[in-house]
Amino acid sequence: MSADPPTSGSEDLSRAQARAQDRDLIERALAGDKSAFEEIYERHRHAVYKVAFGMTRNAEDALDVVQETFLKAHKSLARFERRAALRTWLCQIAVHQGIDLGRRKKVRRADSLEDGLVPSGEIGPRAEARERELKAALQEALSKLSEKHRTVFLLYTVKGLSYREIATAVDCSVGTVMSRLFYARKNLQGLLAQFAR
């Protein structure tokens, strides 16, 4: 078994400083400071993307995994054990999200064979009322997003554009699209929490 290469004192110090900064950001985020989680996202999204791309071998899928990873991390931040490095924890989540995405794609392929043969979801007056209620709540929640976040969210979910196509459409970088989509989803998740099953 080979030993790890020796590290200089300055590398150890910078790692310790990075972990201390991450711990501070986590505490601030848990205390309700929204900008703290934004900073966590900006600090670690490139590392998470590398893992996601390694899992999926597809840029669009990797970007989806990054989004799902940070949404899950945001929900689970209070359960993060400080003994591990934040980046390691996020990359572990990305691995699991990459596996889940692969499974969902297989299920989607199988489901496409059954389209039109099996009725989907609930039916009846209660289901219709719930669907109307959800649509109204979604419209209201969308109206509370900033125009930039709402535009990116709608281009991605309704129009089905890729991250690169959205970046071209709104004249910004793919990273900015990722960031705006992440915050739009996070805010909508909070606004529509009552509809989560």
Side-chain angles (χ1 to χ4, degrees), residues 32-171:
D33 181 350
K34 290 182 180 180
S35 68
F37 197 83
E38 292 173 14
E39 197 171 329
I40 289 171
Y41 176 80
E42 293 302 330
R43 281 170 66 100
H44 298 291
R45 69 184 169 101
H46 294 294
V48 172
Y49 177 81
K50 283 181 185 175
V51 171
F53 187 80
M55 294 285 300
T56 62
R57 293 287 165 203
N58 175 290
E60 285 297 313
D61 286 346
L63 292 171
D64 283 340
V65 168
V66 171
Q67 294 287 309
E68 295 302 322
T69 296
F70 280 98
L71 286 169
K72 184 151 186 124
H74 185 261
K75 279 177 155 178
S76 312
L77 198 57
R79 295 194 300 273
F80 170 63
E81 294 181 14
R82 310 302 197 276
R83 292 190 306 270
L86 179 60
R87 181 169 293 195
T88 303
W89 181 65
L90 290 168
C91 289
Q92 287 170 344
I93 295 173
V95 167
H96 292 293
Q97 294 302 313
I99 292 167
D100 287 349
L101 178 67
R103 286 185 189 138
R104 284 196 307 270
K105 287 184 126 185
K106 284 179 187 169
V107 169
R108 251 184 261 142
R109 284 195 292 270
D111 284 350
S112 69
L113 299 174
E114 298 174 10
D115 279 351
L117 300 176
V118 181
S120 63
E122 299 175 64
I123 52 172
R126 284 183 67 193
E128 288 173 13
R130 184 164 174 80
E131 190 175 331
R132 279 195 305 273
E133 189 182 343
L134 175 59
K135 282 181 181 174
L138 178 59
Q139 288 305 316
E140 183 166 344
L142 284 169
S143 73
K144 292 179 180 174
L145 296 180
S146 73
E147 187 177 337
K148 288 177 179 178
H149 290 161
R150 184 172 53 251
T151 299
V152 167
F153 180 80
L154 292 173
L155 287 174
Y156 183 78
T157 57
V158 178
K159 299 294 185 186
L161 298 185
S162 70
Y163 293 93
R164 196 161 300 288
E165 288 169 333
I166 296 169
T168 302
V170 300
D171 193 27

